[in-house]
Amino acid sequence: MGSVSGQNRVVVGVDGSDSSRYALEWSANQAAGYGLGVRIVTAVWPPDSEGLFGEGVRFREGEETPREHDARALLAYARDWVLRLFPELDVETREVHDRPSQALLDAAGEPGVACVVVGSRGLGGLASAFVGSVGVELAAKSPVPTVVLPKSHETAEGRRGRIVVGVDGSEAGGRALDFAFRQAERSGAEIVAVCAWQPMAAFASSIGPVPPEAFDDEVVEAAARRTAEAALEEPKGRHPEVAVELRTVRAHPVVAMLEESTPADLIVVGSRGRGGFKGLLLGSVSQSVLHGAHGPVVVVR
């Protein structure tokens, strides 16, 4: 997330909830550390012209509606709050009349955006909350990495000690590794690469005949480690200063990732969109990690 390749701004969605305030603080910390600016986005949706059951509500032309008033007050407060913490930061605000997820997707698609950040739990109501479903849709569709943050005070200072990343030899996993190594090199963090494996015997009935060695846990673990080491070889060569610890864990990938991380760690996973609903569906691992993590999660498409 540095100011390389034309990247110059972090986009963050706010809705007045504690979760979005933490997302704002995390974004400001990252932007200040990497020489980026911040664009704060909130959405006015549904429009005040629609009543509770969709009937029209009249407002005089040019008159500020209640939702617009709330959104502008929220943006002004958020901007002032960030500038009190980081007076030199370049801060923009944007009020968008659209669904929250679409507002952030449009912002993420603009030139110079390094990542898009959102809280995982909104409150509803004020300026139309950026709720958990927004984070899932962003992670599935955003052209830049999506960062989803829960409400947490343990990571509010932007600790940079460990970056936990899943490694499985897949193309999606490779993109997650690339992001994790770049972030670690810029922040001085350690990479904890997690390769999860499970006994083949548990799947024998569903996949048909398997060779006898597949029932040997030591053989399966060794194969998993070889796959992980091969996947790590190229990014380690590009970032020789980054400390890397490889952990092979006998567990489901979701369990392995969550158990190896603490709320102070950054978790990086790859997205495996499966098509349908314009790519709304995430891979089961990335979506489950999003819902179960106690710290920030980056989903890299």
Side-chain angles (χ1 to χ4, degrees):
M1 258 187 299
S3 54
V4 296
S5 303
Q7 296 176 346
N8 54 28
R9 196 164 297 278
V10 174
V11 169
V12 55
V14 299
D15 64 2
S17 66
D18 284 347
S19 184
S20 78
R21 188 181 72 166
Y22 172 43
L24 179 62
E25 183 178 359
W26 191 91
S27 299
N29 267 295
Q30 292 291 308
Y34 296 121
L36 305 173
V38 174
R39 177 176 297 134
I40 307 170
V41 178
T42 198
V44 179
W45 190 263
D48 282 294
S49 58
E50 293 184 10
L52 184 61
F53 297 102
E55 75 277 10
V57 179
R58 287 177 173 266
F59 289 97
R60 288 191 297 272
E61 187 175 350
E63 179 183 0
E64 184 179 61
T65 69
R67 281 194 178 90
E68 289 172 339
H69 177 272
D70 289 347
R72 289 165 192 172
L74 173 61
L75 288 173
Y77 176 85
R79 183 178 187 277
D80 290 346
W81 187 74
V82 167
L83 289 174
R84 284 199 300 270
L85 294 175
F86 304 98
E88 304 302 317
L89 205 59
D90 176 16
V91 182
E92 296 178 355
T93 61
R94 181 177 296 180
E95 171 195 336
V96 181
H97 290 244
D98 206 339
R99 295 183 304 112
S101 55
Q102 192 59 51
L104 286 175
L105 283 170
D106 289 346
E110 294 178 7
V113 173
C115 65
V116 58
V117 185
V118 67
S120 63
R121 295 291 182 270
L123 291 176
L126 180 60
S128 188
F130 288 91
V131 293
S133 61
V134 172
V136 172
E137 186 171 356
L138 280 173
K141 296 181 179 179
S142 172
V144 298
T146 297
V147 186
V148 180
L149 299 107
K151 177 187 174 185
S152 171
H153 298 292
E154 294 187 55
T155 54
E157 297 303 318
R159 297 181 190 177
R160 298 176 178 176
R162 298 165 83 239
I163 297 175
V164 178
V165 57
V167 53
D168 60 4
S170 69
E171 184 179 348
R175 289 191 293 269
L177 280 176
D178 287 341
F179 180 93
F181 271 83
R182 291 196 305 269
Q183 185 78 351
E185 185 171 67
R186 294 166 190 151
S187 66
E190 173 196 15
I191 293 284
V192 179
V194 179
C195 180
W197 62 277
Q198 294 173 281
M200 286 297 296
F203 307 104
S205 61
S206 62
I207 64 175
V210 294
E213 61 268 20
F215 291 86
D216 186 327
D217 286 358
E218 290 186 4
V219 171
V220 176
E221 181 178 13
R225 177 170 285 274
R226 287 194 299 271
T227 297
E229 289 173 343
L232 286 167
E233 186 174 349
E234 187 175 338
K236 284 172 71 173
R238 291 197 303 269
H239 306 275
E241 303 302 317
V242 174
V244 183
E245 179 182 359
L246 172 59
R247 298 186 182 179
T248 53
V249 182
R250 177 178 171 165
H252 187 277
V254 174
V255 174
M257 293 284 288
L258 295 178
E259 289 193 346
E260 290 294 329
S261 65
T262 76
D265 295 329
L266 184 68
I267 302 176
V268 182
V269 291
S271 164
R272 289 191 183 87
R274 294 179 294 176
F277 301 104
K278 297 183 180 178
L280 180 60
L281 300 177
L282 275 182
S284 59
V285 170
S286 51
Q287 185 162 184
S288 296
V289 170
L290 273 179
H291 286 297
H294 295 288
V297 178
V298 181
V299 180
V300 183
R301 287 190 69 198

